[in-house]
Amino acid sequence: MYRFVRNCKTSIIWLSLAHLVCDVYGGFLNPLMPFIAAKLNFTMALATVLVAITQICSNMLQPIFGFFADNINKRFFIFWGLILASIFIPLAPSAPNIFLLTVFMIAGSLGGSFFHPQSMGFVNFFSGKNCSNNMGLFISMGSLGFALGPLLAAYITQIAGLDKICYTSVFGLTLAAMMFAFVPKLSKIEEPPEHKEFFKSFKDILSNRQMNYLMLIAMMKSLVTNSSCILLPFLWKSMNYSPFYIGFALFLFVFMGSIGSFLSPHVEKHFGSKPIIYFSMWATFPLMLIFAFVYKTMPIFSMFVFGIIGFTTMLAQPVVLVWAQRTVPEYKSIAAGFINGFCWGTVALCLSGLGFVAQKFGIINTILVLTTIPAFSSYFVRYLKYEEM
C-alpha cells in the first residue's frame, strides 16, 4: 500500500512537470506569428485563420480524445501528446512554406489535445479523494508553462533567430522518456475499463444538467481570459508601449492565474466550492472597472490590477474541473476534455470577430461589457450539487 501511494505521488509530480512543458510549447506561437508571417510573406488575416485551426485541434477535439483515453488504461495519449507537441511546435517557426507551417501547427496542437484529457484523468485516478489539491498543482503548472512560453520563445528568437526554436524539442522528448519510466501503466494497477459507447458517452455528458452548468461556468471564465489577452495588447500598442511591456503584462496575467489555481484547493477548504466560483465570476467586473479608470494615468498599478484579474479568473478552475469529474466519474477524461478544452476552444472561435466589435465600440467598452456576462451567469451556480466519488 505504501509503495502504491508513493508511486501515485511520483506520478502526479511527473504529470505536472509534463503539463508545464507541454503548455510552454503551447505558448510559443502566438508571440511569434507576426515574425513568421513576415518571413513567409502572408497576411494577418491568414495568420488568424491558422490560429483558429490550431484552436480547433488543441481544444475542441479534447473530448473525443478523452473518450478514447477513458476506454484504455495505457499511457498512449500522454506520451504521444507530449512527443508531438515537443517536435512539431518548435519546428513551426522554421517552416519553409505555409503548407509545412500548417502541418507543423496542426500536428503540434493535436499533441496538446492528446495530452490534456488523459493526463487529467490520470491525476484524478492517482489522487483518490485528495483530487482537489493535486489538480490545483497540475493546472497551476500548466498555467505557469503557458505564461513562460511566450517569454522563452521571444528570448530565443531575439538572441538566436526563429530557426533555433527547434532545439527546444530536446526538453519535451527527454521529459517524455522520464515519464515512460516513472508513470506506471494502469494495466498493472487496475482492471481494464469497461468499454464505453461513443454516442452514449457524449449523450450522457451533454444531457447531464449539472455538466451543462459547469461547462457554462468554464466558458464564462474563458470569455474573460480570451477577451483580455486578445484585445488589451492592441490597447497597449496604441498607447506606444513596448513589446516587452505587453509581453510581461500577459505573462503576469497567466502567472497570477497559475498561483490562483495552486491556491484554489486551500481556499476551497476554508470557504467551500460555490463561494469560490461566485467570487471568481463576480469579481472580474469591478476589477476590470478599476483597470479602465487607471490604465491611462497609473500604468504600473493597472498592470497589477490586470494580474489580480488573472488570479481571480483562474482561482475556481480546479474546483470546476474536479466537480465535473465527480459529476460523471465514469467519464473522467471526457469531462476534462469538455471543461479544459472544448469550452475554451468554443469561446475562442466565437470571439474570432471580436476585433471588429472592439474597433467600432472601443476596446475598454467591449471588455467591460464582456466581463458583466460571467457575473449574470453566476446565477446558475446555485443549482450545482457536489457529488461524492
Side-chain angles (χ1 to χ4, degrees):
M1 180 66 182
Y2 172 75
R3 183 179 179 183
F4 174 73
V5 172
R6 184 180 63 185
N7 286 339
C8 287
K9 291 180 178 178
T10 302
S11 300
I12 290 168
I13 291 172
W14 283 108
L15 288 166
S16 299
L17 287 174
H19 195 198
L20 169 72
V21 173
C22 187
D23 281 9
V24 164
Y25 292 125
F28 267 12
L29 294 182
N30 281 344
L32 298 184
M33 282 306 292
F35 303 97
I36 298 173
K39 172 188 171 183
L40 299 181
N41 194 28
F42 60 84
T43 64
M44 184 177 66
L46 181 56
T48 305
V49 173
L50 291 176
V51 171
I53 292 173
T54 59
Q55 286 283 355
I56 294 173
C57 295
S58 64
N59 290 319
M60 300 193 71
L61 296 179
Q62 284 193 30
I64 297 176
F65 295 128
F67 165 80
F68 292 111
D70 276 337
N71 275 280
I72 61 174
N73 53 8
K74 298 180 180 179
R75 304 165 295 180
F76 175 87
F77 290 103
I78 293 175
F79 291 121
W80 282 105
L82 185 55
I83 289 170
L84 286 174
S86 302
I87 293 175
F88 289 103
I89 292 180
L91 277 176
S94 56
N97 53 61
I98 295 177
F99 173 75
L100 281 179
L101 171 65
T102 305
V103 171
F104 292 158
M105 290 178 67
I106 290 175
S109 299
L110 284 174
S113 196
F114 273 24
F115 175 84
H116 285 91
Q118 189 175 49
S119 61
M120 291 178 186
F122 269 49
V123 170
N124 188 295
F125 172 81
F126 287 122
S127 298
K129 293 185 177 181
N130 193 33
C131 190
S132 294
N133 286 333
N134 293 324
M135 195 63 76
L137 171 65
F138 179 83
I139 292 178
S140 67
M141 292 294 278
S143 298
L144 178 60
F146 200 71
L148 292 173
L151 291 180
L152 179 61
Y155 178 74
I156 295 174
T157 300
Q158 184 169 332
I159 66 172
L162 285 172
D163 294 340
K164 299 301 185 293
I165 297 288
C166 61
Y167 292 118
T168 62
S169 294
V170 67
F171 298 109
L173 295 176
T174 301
L175 185 55
M178 298 297 288
M179 288 179 61
F180 187 82
F182 291 106
V183 178
K185 296 179 180 179
L186 293 190
S187 58
K188 294 182 178 181
I189 302 173
E190 67 170 5
E191 295 296 322
E194 179 184 352
H195 179 73
K196 302 174 179 65
E197 297 181 8
F198 183 84
F199 290 106
K200 181 180 183 301
S201 300
F202 280 78
K203 181 180 178 181
D204 288 346
I205 290 177
L206 294 175
S207 62
N208 187 302
R209 182 172 296 181
Q210 178 145 296
M211 275 298 298
N212 290 331
Y213 292 145
L214 290 167
M215 286 190 282
L216 174 65
I217 293 168
M219 288 182 182
M220 293 301 99
K221 298 170 71 56
S222 174
L223 180 68
V224 174
T225 300
N226 277 310
S227 60
S228 299
C229 292
I230 290 172
L231 292 181
L232 288 181
F234 287 93
L235 176 70
W236 289 318
K237 186 177 184 300
S238 69
M239 299 172 66
N240 296 319
Y241 286 128
S242 68
F244 177 79
Y245 179 97
I246 297 173
F248 182 78
L250 295 180
F251 163 78
L252 183 64
F253 180 88
V254 183
F255 177 72
M256 291 296 292
S258 71
I259 295 177
S261 296
F262 181 75
L263 296 179
S264 176
H266 307 285
V267 179
E268 182 186 15
K269 288 180 181 179
H270 286 87
F271 298 100
S273 303
K274 285 187 178 181
I276 289 180
I277 299 176
Y278 276 123
F279 173 76
S280 182
M281 299 181 76
W282 267 102
T284 49
F285 173 69
L287 285 169
M288 191 61 74
L289 197 60
I290 294 172
F291 176 88
F293 278 112
V294 302
Y295 77 93
K296 289 183 179 179
T297 57
M298 304 172 67
I300 296 177
F301 179 66
S302 71
M303 183 183 290
F304 171 78
V305 174
F306 186 55
I308 297 300
I309 294 173
F311 175 90
T312 304
T313 302
M314 292 300 294
L315 182 64
Q317 182 67 9
V319 176
V320 175
L321 179 56
V322 173
W323 207 328
Q325 290 180 322
R326 289 180 181 270
T327 300
V328 284
E330 68 275 29
Y331 304 120
K332 293 183 178 68
S333 297
I334 307 178
F338 271 106
I339 297 297
N340 196 62
F342 180 82
C343 292
W344 289 70
T346 300
V347 171
L349 290 180
C350 291
L351 292 179
S352 59
L354 185 63
F356 296 101
V357 177
Q359 188 172 341
K360 182 175 182 179
F361 297 102
I363 292 175
I364 288 295
N365 293 334
T366 301
I367 290 182
L368 285 174
V369 171
L370 290 175
T371 52
T372 64
I373 299 176
F376 288 112
S377 300
S378 66
Y379 170 83
F380 297 100
V381 176
R382 63 186 297 183
Y383 296 112
L384 294 178
K385 296 179 180 179
Y386 201 71
E387 303 287 342
E388 293 293 337
M389 293 186 67

